[in-house]
Amino acid sequence: MELGVIGLGRMGQIVVDRLLDAGHEVVAYDVSPEATAAAAELGATPADSVAELCDRLAEPKRIWLMVPAGDPVDETLAELEPHLTDEDVVVDGGNSHFEASVRRAQSTDAAYLDCGTSGGPAGAELGFSLMVGGPAWAYEELVPAFDAVATGTEGHNRMGESGSGHYVKMVHNGVEYALMQAYGEGFELLQEGRYDLDLEAVARTWNNGAVIRSWLLELCEEAFREEGSDLGDVADHVAGGSTGTWTVQESLEQEVPLPLIYTALSERFGSRADARFSRRLANRLRYGFGRHEVARRDG
């Protein structure tokens, strides 16, 4: 399959690399010439603009967007629009709000697939989990590409109509907030409690057969191994919050109580004022799964 990939940041480069490794052909473009050149080094055909990318693609076009959510998606779609027909397919692999995805699906000539993407930069080797919404025929057309970018055939699925992919990813992120909060609170009690504990050893022991073992717990083990049981100079500042906010807003509209996710979101916002060990661990965990920058304390 031949695909165009627009947006070549960390995640976009992984999409390009995994598509190429699976034998697909890729035409790549980014507003950064350096990022486009990096994709070319992987084996992609570089394009200098959205228009050139479209010119290089055979009909019908299959285009994967990995640009930041919000205005950049709409701006890219506006550039694509003169080159699209109803036989083309556009995948939005970013963290767009599901209502924005519904709007874009209705206003775009091409079939629009909203694709929630989980796995972070660690997915470079293992592949991503892909939650896809949109027309069934368009999803089926892109299955070979989804197989390549995901962990395999079990790593992706069509969730339903337009918006459902990003809706499922939104809720996924809310669950992620609550899990990080639970691990943070548990380790905070161990750190502040009555025994002098090696938290790396605790996490390693839990990861081998315990009910609460998980990838996030493996990242806790990594954090304590690299930073120490007291987390060294890792700051009490947990960035992010938009997808968790969307999840809580949706829970209010649907009258579904989400006390754990709401509390985790509140703690994340509170990290910008107070100091807690649990939030310092959450700060470090975001580096583990997404290679987000670790905020550090001064001195």
Side-chain angles (χ1 to χ4, degrees):
M1 178 177 289
E2 182 186 55
L3 299 102
V5 178
I6 300 175
L8 304 172
R10 288 177 299 181
M11 299 287 280
Q13 295 285 3
I14 294 171
V15 170
V16 169
D17 195 26
R18 292 189 64 84
L19 287 171
L20 292 170
D21 283 349
H24 301 295
E25 298 179 10
V26 175
V27 181
Y29 167 72
D30 191 275
V31 293
S32 164
E34 292 78 13
T36 303
E41 290 181 5
L42 295 174
T45 300
D48 292 332
S49 64
V50 168
E52 183 178 340
L53 177 138
C54 291
D55 288 342
R56 289 182 178 273
L57 291 174
E59 302 289 346
K61 302 179 187 69
R62 307 293 183 245
I63 299 173
W64 196 309
L65 307 184
M66 289 302 290
V67 301
D71 291 342
V73 179
D74 290 315
E75 292 164 2
T76 304
L77 287 174
E79 290 189 71
L80 283 171
E81 196 62 31
H83 308 280
L84 298 177
T85 72
D86 59 6
E87 295 183 352
D88 300 327
V89 179
V90 174
V91 178
D92 176 7
N95 258 341
S96 293
H97 192 284
F98 72 95
E99 290 180 338
S101 297
V102 172
R103 169 179 58 79
R104 290 164 184 150
Q106 293 171 343
S107 62
T108 303
D109 289 338
Y112 199 81
L113 296 176
D114 50 287
C115 179
T117 306
S118 180
E125 181 177 350
L126 300 176
F128 299 128
S129 171
L130 304 176
M131 298 142 265
V132 186
W137 73 265
Y139 171 77
E140 294 298 331
E141 281 285 315
L142 271 292
V143 161
F146 292 140
D147 285 346
V149 176
T151 54
T153 58
E154 298 299 312
H156 63 88
N157 215 315
R158 178 177 176 265
M159 301 292 112
E161 62 192 50
S162 295
S164 62
H166 282 147
Y167 188 88
V168 172
K169 178 56 164 55
M170 175 188 74
V171 176
H172 160 286
N173 283 20
V175 172
E176 175 190 297
Y177 284 28
L179 290 173
M180 292 170 65
Q181 180 68 20
Y183 283 128
E185 291 182 6
F187 280 109
E188 181 170 10
L189 179 57
L190 294 176
Q191 168 71 3
E192 302 294 336
R194 59 184 70 212
Y195 296 101
D196 182 14
L197 298 169
D198 180 341
L199 297 189
E200 178 193 351
V202 173
R204 182 174 61 251
T205 303
W206 283 352
N207 272 319
N208 284 274
V211 171
I212 60 171
R213 64 189 182 274
S214 72
W215 183 43
L216 282 175
L217 187 55
E218 291 175 8
L219 297 176
C220 291
E221 181 182 344
E222 174 189 286
F224 295 130
R225 180 173 60 252
E226 296 183 1
E227 307 286 352
S229 285
D230 64 354
L231 292 180
D233 63 353
V234 174
D236 176 8
H237 180 93
V238 188
S242 59
T243 51
T245 299
W246 298 343
T247 304
V248 170
Q249 290 171 337
E250 176 67 2
S251 77
L252 295 174
E253 290 190 24
Q254 301 302 326
E255 299 184 356
V256 176
L258 301 181
L260 297 180
I261 295 174
Y262 172 78
T263 300
L265 177 65
S266 178
E267 281 290 301
R268 183 167 293 206
F269 291 152
S271 76
R272 290 139 205 198
D274 304 320
R276 288 194 61 183
F277 185 86
S278 59
R279 295 194 292 248
R280 294 172 61 213
L281 179 55
N283 174 9
R284 186 52 173 73
L285 288 178
R286 293 184 77 251
Y287 171 79
F289 66 74
R291 292 301 182 259
H292 302 289
E293 183 177 356
V294 179
R296 302 278 180 179
R297 296 184 294 190
D298 294 332

